[in-house]
């Protein structure tokens, strides 16, 4: 079944005699194209080769530029050069701008010129400062608030304010001042507070925030004593452990108020020192004026007057930084004293958090004073025996809190203290800590914090020792699987000795697999999966995955553990260990494990994450059946999630991932297997149009690869294979909804078929492209905006015309049937109003017809006979070309005439200049009538001054250059008649 596209446009004589079109008149009865010798033209247009003697010159060698300034006595009007440059090459403008100086060399010289003392001070400052590798308290704050919650009712004492706090003492004696301060601070005990009971956790947090705002308001209104009372009151709340599960969160909320108070006091004193000149950051005590020192001392005296130990300790720690204003060694002297004061706190939990706050303030103010931090920690170790005392046990029984839950309350405090101590600490300190843990009977809580605090490299090197210590721990107080979880985190970042890895895995998994709670089990197992994949074989990995499936399948426990299972896949930690993911995919338990993600949204996100990592890190093409099966399953899961409600961005994202996988598949020389894969993929991903487009490109590439392997000489088998590839594309293209995707793929597939000598298939592709041209809409959506489709359609038609040069005519459809069919479709297409697109297509078709009339075509397809061979310059064929050219030029001139009547002079000039360029390049201008037509078109294009002068000048220069060629001398007469005109 063939399309009847060979109805020719009617041929007519064109005669136009109109003054508005500058009397364009010509008869085309004898019109013919200019004969072309493409090889000679290419050689003439090539760049002339010239020998260059570089000598010592090299573009990367430095250029020395010397400037000779003119003398002041130079007479006025002198034409002598004011500067001269001497070099082996032209001066470098970038080098001359630098005046011979290199900025990098300047920086290096400046660095080298630093004095030894300055360099030493800089190094000391870097050692003292806390770097970005130190995890700040702000990152732990949110985690603590989310982890330690309670449903119990809470109580709080709100400060109500008192007029007595505003009274000032007039006495001059020191004892009178002290008595006044005590009276002000005792105001809290005289009815100035109100107790609020039965508060929820959120209400409690809101009340604390109200106190924080009250503190700021009191400070801004110059009620400093009231602000101090609020801070004292909040500090007292830290001694209340009536709801012990909430204590870590309470500590976080109240220390925020203490931090605010310390910042306000410090800024206040800083401001007093900055008048009139700002105080530098690295100020010394000598830079502080007496007024600021006295104010600072006054604050410390007020705090020293606080009777209760806990608020006095916390408030003084809050303003510890203010010691910088008093004495250079004040902080160094104060930290040991505050550390010793904590020994007076009886409750071990309250004391632990007080030490944590002191460490936090100490790391901010003086991180180099590690001795005080170490002393603080060793004091903490001394209080560990109190945890199992009768008083603590009685309190836990009263609040119905189990010992393991109670011990977890210490974790934030101990972990923070150890983090401060272990920061940039030597490896010997870890050895000392391990010895102290053994002396304390391998306290599980302490051991867990040690493994988390020190560098993973240090812990991994001692993994076997830690396992022995974990075995000796008492599991009743702190579960061993949590200890193995902490050890696993370190081993995920650093590798233990190779000889110990199997023993470590066996010992850890013996404990993990016995955990009954699915949530506790998966929390620990997820940590050890990566370690197993990195260091062991398929056997161990399959065992781990099978054990996870066994624990998480009963009662659909996996539904509550999707985040942990996503890590097991893995999706987040494999960026550095792609082999881990690839290794997981190769396991027989991988797909059953993936099936545990029953929730569609979670499953799709997991699949997307896997594919992103696979595409990013898979370097080599693959044909492994296990990988292909797993990845096809993942891609199908993503594809099947697409429905009518799926957003276009989501569809595009999924399509890009699937396309990335398709590009990674290669069966080498097994082309039939590759085509079978594409057939299966087409059926699997039929709802994602970009994937279908990629599959068509893949099959076309497969056909071209077959041609390359066979070097263009197809056997019977390969010829049938490339025809099968063409059939695949011909069947798939109509399923696409995008009209321009169909057009471009029809054209591309036709070109591929033609290159493989499949003439009937190429003919079918091109006819199909012509047949759907009327379906092209006048506007299309591009990035969410409607745009005219004319520019896209013109680009396609130009590409199509270029292909038609090498397409041989069909013996049953007549001469130039595809060209005529295309022009018919262009003529019948509904173009936009006031559009010149149709005429531009006609102008673009003229060079094609001129090229078809040549004895040798500009390009051809190997082993494909084009019309140059079929017709061999037959006069009847050339006559058909001439007739078609006559018709096209007649249509163009009619349109120019219409534009002249419509006063569209700018469009008329542009089209006339385009047609002039075509005639100049392709027609035989020795014909006087054609030459006259070209001159008339030039004059028409310049008549109203809209033609760009630069383009016109360059065109004239080109014509004059062409006249120098022996066969182009006739242009010299025409160029004399081409003049430049302007609108003026």
């Amino acid at each position: 079944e063939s399309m009847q596209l060979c109805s020719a446009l009617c041929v007519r004589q064109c005669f136009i005699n109109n003054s508005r079109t500058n009397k364009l008149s010509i008869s085309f009865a004898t019109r013919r194209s200019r004969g072309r010798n493409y090889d000679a033209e290419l050689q003439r247009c090539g760049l002339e080769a010239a020998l260059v003697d570089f000598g010592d010159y090299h573009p990367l060698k430095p250029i020395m530029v010397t400037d000779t300034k003119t003398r002041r006595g130079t007479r006025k009007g002198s034409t002598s050069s004011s500067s001269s440059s001497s070099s082996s090459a032209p001066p470098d403008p970038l080098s001359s701008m630098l005046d011979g100086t290199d900025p990098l060399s300047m920086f290096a010289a400046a660095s080298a010129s630093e004095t030894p003392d300055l360099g030493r001070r800089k190094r000391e400052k870097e050692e003292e400062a806390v770097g970005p590798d130190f995890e700040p308290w702000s990152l732990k704050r949110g985690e603590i608030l989310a982890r330690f919650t309670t449903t119990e009712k809470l109580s709080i004492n709100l400060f109500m304010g008192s007029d007595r706090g505003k009274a000032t003492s007039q006495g001059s004696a020191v004892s009178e001042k002290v008595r006044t301060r005590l009276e002000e601070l005792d105001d809290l005990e005289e009815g100035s507070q109100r107790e609020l009971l039965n508060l929820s956790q959120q209400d409690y947090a809101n009340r604390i925030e109200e106190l924080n705002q009250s503190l700021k308001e009191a400070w801004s209104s110059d009620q400093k004593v009231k602000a101090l009372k609020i801070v004292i009151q909040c500090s007292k709340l830290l001694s209340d452990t009536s709801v012990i599960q909430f204590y870590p969160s309470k500590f976080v909320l109240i220390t925020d108020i203490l931090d605010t108070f310390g910042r306000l006091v410090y800024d206040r004193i800083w401001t007093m020192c900055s008048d009139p000149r700002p105080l530098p950051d690295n100020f010394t005590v000598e830079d502080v004026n007496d007024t600021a020192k006295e104010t600072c001392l006054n604050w410390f005296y007020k705090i020293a007057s606080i009777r209760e130990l806990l608020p006095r300790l916390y408030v003084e720690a809050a303003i510890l930084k203010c010691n910088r204003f008093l004495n250079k060694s004040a902080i160094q002297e104060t930290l040991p004293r505050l550390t010793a004061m904590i020994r007076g706190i009886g409750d071990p939990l309250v004391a632990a958090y007080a030490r944590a706050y002191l460490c936090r303030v100490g790391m901010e103010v003086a991180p180099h004073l590690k001795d005080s931090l170490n002393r603080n920690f060793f004091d903490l170790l001394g209080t560990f025996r109190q945890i199992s005392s009768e008083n603590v046990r009685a309190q836990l029984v009263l609040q119905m809190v189990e010992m393991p839950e109670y011990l977890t309350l210490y974790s934030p405090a101990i972990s923070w203290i150890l983090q401060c101590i272990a920061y940039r600490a030597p490896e010997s300190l870890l050895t000392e800590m391990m010895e102290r843990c053994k002396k304390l009977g391998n306290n599980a809580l302490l051991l867990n914090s040690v493994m988390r605090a020190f560098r993973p490299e240090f812990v991994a090197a001692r993994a076997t020792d830690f396992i022995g210590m974990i075995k000796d721990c008492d599991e009743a107080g702190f579960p061993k699987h949590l200890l193995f979880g902490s050890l696993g985190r370190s081993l995920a970042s650093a590798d233990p000795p190779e000889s110990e890895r199997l023993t470590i895995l066996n010992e850890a998994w013996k404990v993990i697999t016995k955990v009954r709670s699915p949530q506790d089990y998966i929390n620990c197992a997820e940590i050890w999966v990566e370690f197993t994949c990195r260091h062991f074989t398929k056997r161990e990995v399959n065992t781990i995955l099978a054990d996870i499936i066994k624990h998480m399948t009963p009662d659909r426990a996996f539904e509550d553990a999707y985040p942990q299972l996503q890590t097991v896949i893995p999706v987040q930690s494999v960026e550095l260990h792609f082999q881990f993911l690839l290794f997981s995919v190769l396991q027989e338990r991988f797909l059953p494990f993936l099936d545990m993600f029953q929730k569609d949204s979670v499953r799709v996100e997991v699949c997307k994450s896997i594919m992103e990592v696979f595409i990013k890190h898979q370097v080599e093409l693959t044909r492994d059946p296990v990988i292909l099966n797993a990845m096809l399953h993942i891609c199908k899961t993503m594809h099947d999630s697409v429905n009518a409600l799926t957003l276009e961005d989501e569809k595009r994202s999924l399509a890009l991932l699937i396309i990335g996988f398709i590009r990674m598949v290669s069966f080498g020389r097994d082309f039939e297997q590759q085509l079978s894969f594409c057939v299966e993929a087409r059926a699997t991903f039929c709802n994602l149009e970009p994937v279908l487009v990629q599959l068509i490109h893949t099959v076309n590439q497969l056909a071209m690869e077959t041609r390359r392997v066979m070097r263009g000489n197809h056997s019977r088998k390969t010829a049938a294979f490339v025809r099968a590839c063409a059939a695949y594309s011909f069947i798939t293209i109509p399923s696409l909804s995008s009209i321009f995707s169909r057009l471009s793929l029809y054209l591309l597939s036709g070109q591929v078929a033609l290159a493989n000598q499949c003439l009937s298939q190429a003919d079918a592709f091109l006819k199909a492209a012509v047949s759907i041209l009327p379906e092209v809409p006048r506007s299309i959506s591009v990035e969410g905006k409607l745009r005219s489709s004319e520019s896209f359609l013109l680009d396609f038609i130009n590409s199509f015309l270029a292909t038609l040069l090498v397409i041989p005519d069909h013996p049953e459809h007549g001469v130039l049937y595809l060209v005529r069919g295309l022009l018919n479709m262009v003529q019948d297409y509904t173009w936009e109003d006031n559009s010149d697109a149709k005429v531009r297509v006609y102008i673009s078709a003229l060079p094609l017809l001129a090229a078809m009339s040549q004895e040798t075509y500009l390009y051809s397809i190997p082993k494909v006979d084009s019309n140059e061979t079929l017709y061999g310059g037959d006069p009847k064929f050339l006559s058909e070309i001439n007739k078609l050219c006559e018709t096209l030029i007649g249509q163009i001139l009619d349109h120019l005439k219409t534009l002249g009547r419509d006063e569209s002079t700018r469009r008329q000039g542009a089209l006339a200049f385009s047609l002039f360029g075509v005639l100049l390049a392709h027609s035989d201008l020795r014909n006087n009538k054609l030459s006259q037509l070209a001159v008339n078109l030039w004059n028409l294009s310049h008549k109203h001054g809209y033609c760009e002068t630069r383009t016109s000048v360059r065109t004239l220069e080109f014509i004059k250059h062409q006249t120098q060629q022996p066969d182009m001398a006739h242009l010299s007469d025409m160029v004399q008649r081409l003049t430049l005109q302007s609108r003026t």
Side-chain angles (χ1 to χ4, degrees):
E1 183 181 349
S2 62
M3 300 175 57
Q4 300 300 325
L5 300 175
C6 58
S7 58
L9 296 168
C10 61
V11 179
R12 61 191 177 89
Q13 295 294 331
C14 301
F15 180 81
I16 301 174
N17 186 359
N18 186 282
S19 59
R20 303 190 64 179
T21 57
N22 207 15
K23 296 183 179 180
L24 297 174
S25 61
I26 190 71
S27 173
F28 302 102
T30 60
R31 190 264 181 213
R32 68 186 184 88
S33 301
R34 175 168 64 91
R36 306 288 292 274
N37 186 339
Y38 295 116
D39 294 336
E41 291 182 21
L42 179 62
Q43 187 174 3
R44 285 200 304 267
C45 295
L47 297 177
E48 296 182 2
L51 294 177
V52 179
D53 184 12
F54 288 101
D56 294 333
Y57 169 73
H58 189 277
L60 298 183
K61 285 186 66 176
I63 298 174
M64 301 301 296
V65 180
T66 59
D67 293 337
T68 304
K69 304 297 183 181
T70 56
R71 291 178 295 180
R72 295 182 180 180
T74 303
R75 60 183 175 86
K76 185 177 181 181
S78 173
T79 59
S80 61
S81 175
S82 61
S83 64
S84 63
S85 300
S86 62
S87 67
S88 59
D92 180 7
L94 299 181
S95 298
S96 61
M97 290 298 294
L98 298 176
D99 293 332
T101 57
D102 178 9
L104 298 181
S105 301
M106 292 172 59
F107 294 149
S111 176
S113 63
E114 286 184 347
T115 60
D117 293 340
L118 180 59
R120 179 174 51 81
R121 287 198 297 269
K122 288 181 64 176
R123 288 194 300 271
E124 290 177 356
K125 186 175 182 180
E126 290 174 358
E127 292 175 359
E128 293 177 4
V130 176
D133 54 335
F134 184 81
E135 184 179 5
W137 173 259
S138 57
L139 296 181
K140 298 180 177 293
R141 181 183 180 279
E143 178 186 350
I144 296 173
L145 291 175
R147 178 182 175 188
F148 297 96
T149 60
T150 183
T151 56
E152 299 288 335
K153 296 300 180 181
L154 304 167
S155 62
I156 189 173
N157 295 325
L158 280 179
F159 178 70
M160 302 302 295
S162 173
D163 293 336
R164 287 185 57 185
K166 301 178 183 178
T168 57
S169 174
Q170 300 296 328
S172 57
V174 176
S175 58
E176 185 66 22
K177 291 182 180 180
V178 174
R179 184 166 57 254
T180 303
R181 294 193 184 102
L182 291 176
E183 289 176 354
E184 291 173 347
L185 296 177
D186 286 343
D187 209 19
L188 288 173
E189 302 173 4
E190 298 180 3
S192 61
Q193 52 188 336
R194 175 168 58 92
E195 186 175 15
L196 298 178
L197 304 174
N198 298 325
L199 297 177
S200 66
Q201 178 178 329
Q202 186 59 46
D203 292 336
Y204 189 91
N206 294 338
R207 300 300 181 186
I208 294 295
E209 180 59 27
E210 289 178 8
L211 287 174
N212 202 353
Q213 293 300 323
S214 299
L215 169 64
K216 296 177 182 178
E217 292 172 1
W219 190 272
S220 60
S221 60
D222 204 26
Q223 300 183 47
K224 303 299 188 295
V225 174
K226 179 180 178 181
L228 179 59
K229 291 177 181 179
I230 294 175
V231 176
I232 295 173
Q233 178 191 9
C234 292
S235 302
K236 286 185 176 182
L237 295 176
L238 290 174
S239 62
D240 178 20
T241 57
S242 57
V243 184
I244 201 167
Q245 304 97 316
F246 185 66
Y247 190 84
S249 295
K250 179 195 290 188
F251 170 80
V252 170
L253 294 172
I254 292 177
T255 51
D256 285 347
I257 296 180
L258 290 168
D259 293 340
T260 301
F261 176 73
R263 189 165 51 253
L264 291 173
V265 174
Y266 185 84
D267 292 345
R268 164 70 173 167
I269 302 175
W270 177 281
T271 304
M272 297 176 66
C273 297
S274 300
D275 187 18
R277 186 179 57 185
L279 197 64
D281 292 336
N282 56 345
F283 70 91
T284 61
V285 179
E286 290 74 16
D287 299 325
V288 182
N289 56 46
D290 294 340
T291 304
K293 289 182 180 179
E294 185 177 355
T295 303
C296 185
L297 283 171
N298 188 42
W299 277 111
F300 280 108
Y301 289 154
K302 285 185 177 181
I303 294 170
S305 303
I306 301 174
R307 296 180 178 179
E308 296 186 23
L309 172 62
L310 193 65
R312 184 167 72 251
L313 172 68
Y314 270 107
V315 178
E316 185 173 357
I319 67 168
L320 179 65
K321 191 176 181 180
C322 295
N323 282 284
R324 292 185 61 192
F325 298 107
L326 300 178
N327 191 348
K328 182 178 180 180
S329 60
I331 295 177
Q332 187 174 358
E333 297 170 356
T334 303
L335 277 175
R337 178 173 57 80
L338 295 178
T339 301
M341 288 172 60
I342 299 177
R343 298 172 185 171
I345 301 175
D347 192 310
L349 183 64
V350 176
Y353 277 92
R355 298 183 191 281
Y357 184 71
L358 186 59
C359 284
R360 177 154 76 89
V361 175
M363 284 298 290
E364 294 175 359
V365 175
H368 59 286
L369 298 178
K370 288 293 184 70
D371 291 340
S372 299
L373 300 179
N374 294 341
R375 188 180 300 110
N376 200 349
F377 176 71
F378 295 147
D379 286 351
L380 175 65
L381 296 182
T383 63
F384 265 54
R385 294 184 178 84
Q386 290 182 297
I387 295 177
S388 57
S389 64
E390 292 296 329
N391 292 335
V392 172
R393 292 183 180 275
Q395 186 181 15
L396 297 182
V397 171
L398 182 63
Q399 299 193 36
M400 293 182 292
V401 176
E402 298 294 333
M403 180 58 73
E405 182 182 2
Y406 174 69
L407 290 178
T408 58
L409 301 178
Y410 285 86
S411 279
I414 297 177
S415 297
W416 177 259
I417 295 173
L418 278 171
Q419 177 185 332
C420 297
I421 294 175
Y423 181 64
R424 295 180 179 176
E427 194 171 357
S428 58
L429 183 60
L430 176 58
T431 304
E432 182 181 355
M433 291 295 177
M434 293 174 68
E435 292 299 326
R436 288 182 176 271
C437 287
K438 292 177 181 178
K439 291 181 180 179
L440 290 173
N442 290 327
N443 185 281
L445 175 62
L446 177 60
L447 188 60
N448 183 68
S449 299
V450 169
M451 288 188 291
R452 283 175 170 264
F454 281 86
R455 291 173 56 184
E457 295 82 0
F458 297 168
V459 176
R462 297 167 173 75
T464 304
D465 296 335
F466 276 110
I467 288 178
M469 297 172 68
I470 292 173
K471 287 182 178 180
D472 297 337
C473 288
D474 182 11
E475 194 167 8
F478 199 91
K480 288 185 179 179
H481 70 269
L482 296 180
L483 297 175
F484 276 107
S486 298
L487 178 61
R489 288 187 181 89
S490 296
L491 299 183
S493 302
D495 296 334
E498 185 175 357
S499 59
E500 302 175 2
R501 292 171 184 172
L502 183 59
T503 303
I504 292 171
L505 178 62
N506 288 333
E507 294 296 336
W509 208 257
K510 285 179 185 178
V511 175
I512 297 171
T513 193
K514 294 179 182 179
V515 178
R516 295 184 177 182
S517 169
Q519 194 66 38
D520 292 340
Y521 169 83
I522 193 61
N523 285 338
C524 192
E526 63 165 325
I527 302 171
W528 286 87
V529 170
E530 182 178 353
F531 175 79
T532 308
C533 289
R534 284 169 54 196
H535 299 299
F536 297 96
T537 63
K538 296 181 181 180
R539 177 174 172 270
E540 286 80 7
V541 175
N542 269 321
T543 302
I544 297 295
L545 293 179
D547 193 62
I548 293 177
I549 296 172
K550 176 183 175 182
H551 277 78
M552 302 306 296
T553 303
D555 300 327
R556 300 178 68 86
F558 52 78
E559 292 183 347
D560 298 324
Y562 283 143
Q564 292 83 357
L565 292 174
Q566 284 180 268
T567 308
V568 172
I569 277 294
V571 293
Q572 297 172 1
S573 59
V574 297
E575 288 293 328
L576 299 177
H577 309 288
F578 169 65
Q579 293 300 324
F580 176 26
L581 172 65
L582 194 59
F583 201 45
S584 300
V585 170
L586 291 174
Q587 308 313 310
E588 60 185 23
R589 297 287 183 176
F590 175 73
L591 293 182
F593 181 87
L594 194 61
D595 289 337
M596 286 197 296
F597 295 94
Q598 298 291 324
K599 191 175 180 180
D600 290 342
S601 60
V602 176
R603 173 180 287 199
V604 172
E605 286 301 318
V606 171
C607 292
K608 287 174 62 178
S609 301
I610 294 175
M611 289 307 304
E612 286 172 358
V613 176
F614 180 81
I615 293 170
K616 182 177 181 180
H617 296 278
Q618 178 69 22
V619 179
E620 299 179 354
L621 303 180
T622 182
R623 60 183 299 175
D624 189 288
V626 178
I627 294 179
L628 295 184
N629 182 46
M631 291 303 168
L632 272 175
H633 177 82
I634 293 171
C635 291
K636 187 176 186 302
T637 301
M638 295 190 297
H639 170 269
D640 293 345
S641 68
V642 176
N643 53 44
L645 301 178
T646 306
L647 299 176
E648 288 300 322
D649 287 345
E650 179 67 13
K651 289 182 182 179
R652 191 179 302 111
S653 174
L654 295 176
L656 288 175
L657 293 175
I658 298 175
I659 289 172
F661 163 65
I662 292 173
R663 289 175 176 171
M664 290 294 175
V665 178
S666 174
F667 290 88
R669 290 292 184 89
D670 192 351
F671 295 152
E672 293 181 352
Q673 184 66 27
Q674 186 86 27
L675 182 60
S676 299
F677 170 80
C678 291
V679 172
E680 180 184 357
R682 180 179 61 186
T684 305
F685 310 123
C686 57
N687 292 330
L688 291 174
E689 186 165 309
V691 179
L692 296 180
V693 172
Q694 176 60 37
L695 289 172
I696 295 171
H697 285 303
T698 301
V699 171
N700 284 334
Q701 185 178 1
L702 189 61
M704 295 304 294
E705 182 67 14
T706 305
R707 177 180 180 274
R708 186 190 66 82
V709 172
M710 300 301 295
R711 298 181 180 179
N713 300 312
H714 283 296
S715 64
R716 180 177 299 178
K717 182 178 180 180
T718 58
F721 176 76
V722 294
R723 287 196 295 271
C725 292
Y728 178 98
S729 299
F730 194 78
I731 294 172
T732 310
I733 292 173
S735 63
L736 304 177
S737 61
S738 171
I739 182 67
F740 282 103
S741 294
R742 279 185 280 158
L743 285 172
S744 61
L745 288 173
Y746 271 133
L747 178 58
L748 178 63
S749 300
Q751 294 168 346
V752 171
L754 190 65
N756 285 281
Q757 303 134 43
C758 302
L759 300 184
S760 58
Q761 285 78 8
D763 195 63
F765 279 118
L766 298 180
K767 287 193 294 186
V770 173
S771 67
I772 65 173
L773 279 177
E775 302 177 17
V776 177
R778 294 176 62 176
S779 60
I780 58 175
S781 177
V782 179
E783 297 180 354
K785 298 179 180 179
L786 284 179
R787 291 180 55 186
S788 173
S789 62
E790 275 192 3
S791 59
F792 300 97
L793 184 56
L794 288 176
D795 289 342
F796 168 75
I797 292 177
N798 288 333
S799 299
F800 193 90
L801 289 171
T803 304
L804 290 181
L805 178 63
V806 294
I807 299 295
D809 282 340
H810 197 285
E812 298 178 359
H813 296 158
V815 178
L816 303 177
Y817 83 103
L818 277 176
V819 178
R820 297 177 187 275
L822 175 64
L823 294 175
N824 281 335
M825 290 298 182
V826 170
Q827 186 179 35
D828 296 337
Y829 182 77
T830 306
W831 299 93
E832 293 184 7
D833 298 335
N834 301 321
S835 171
D836 301 323
K838 180 169 67 173
V839 177
R840 291 192 178 278
V841 173
Y842 292 161
I843 295 175
S844 299
L846 292 175
L848 169 65
L849 295 173
M852 283 182 168
S853 66
Q854 304 298 319
E855 294 182 0
T856 302
Y857 284 0
L858 179 60
Y859 47 85
S860 60
I861 304 297
K863 300 186 182 303
V864 174
D865 293 333
S866 302
N867 287 338
E868 62 175 336
T869 305
L870 296 180
Y871 295 109
D874 186 86
K876 293 182 180 179
F877 176 65
L878 296 179
S879 176
E880 290 295 327
I881 293 177
N882 287 339
K883 290 178 181 179
L884 196 51
C885 288
E886 292 173 6
T887 304
L888 293 179
I889 295 180
Q891 294 276 1
I892 297 169
L893 295 177
D894 285 345
H895 186 72
L896 291 175
K897 181 179 178 180
T898 303
L899 293 177
R901 287 197 300 265
D902 296 341
E903 299 296 334
S904 301
T905 53
R906 183 184 293 273
R907 292 163 54 198
Q908 184 190 54
L911 289 176
F913 194 79
S914 297
L915 182 56
F916 169 80
V918 171
L919 293 179
L920 177 64
H922 301 283
S923 66
D924 187 358
L925 295 179
R926 287 175 294 188
N927 186 306
N928 293 331
K929 294 182 179 180
L930 282 177
S931 177
Q932 182 60 45
L933 174 60
V935 172
N936 291 343
L937 289 171
W938 173 275
N939 293 333
L940 179 62
S941 64
H942 289 75
K943 181 178 179 180
H944 301 283
Y946 290 118
C947 191
E948 186 178 354
T949 304
R950 179 182 301 177
T951 304
S952 301
V953 171
R954 295 180 65 181
T955 303
L956 286 176
E957 291 176 353
F958 169 76
I959 299 173
K960 293 176 182 178
H961 177 74
Q962 288 292 94
T963 58
Q964 301 174 7
Q965 305 298 329
D967 56 342
M968 303 294 286
H970 58 278
L971 294 179
S972 57
D973 295 333
M974 187 187 73
V975 75
Q976 300 298 329
R977 293 182 288 166
L978 301 180
T979 58
L980 294 176
Q981 299 178 13
S982 63
R983 200 180 313 178
T984 58

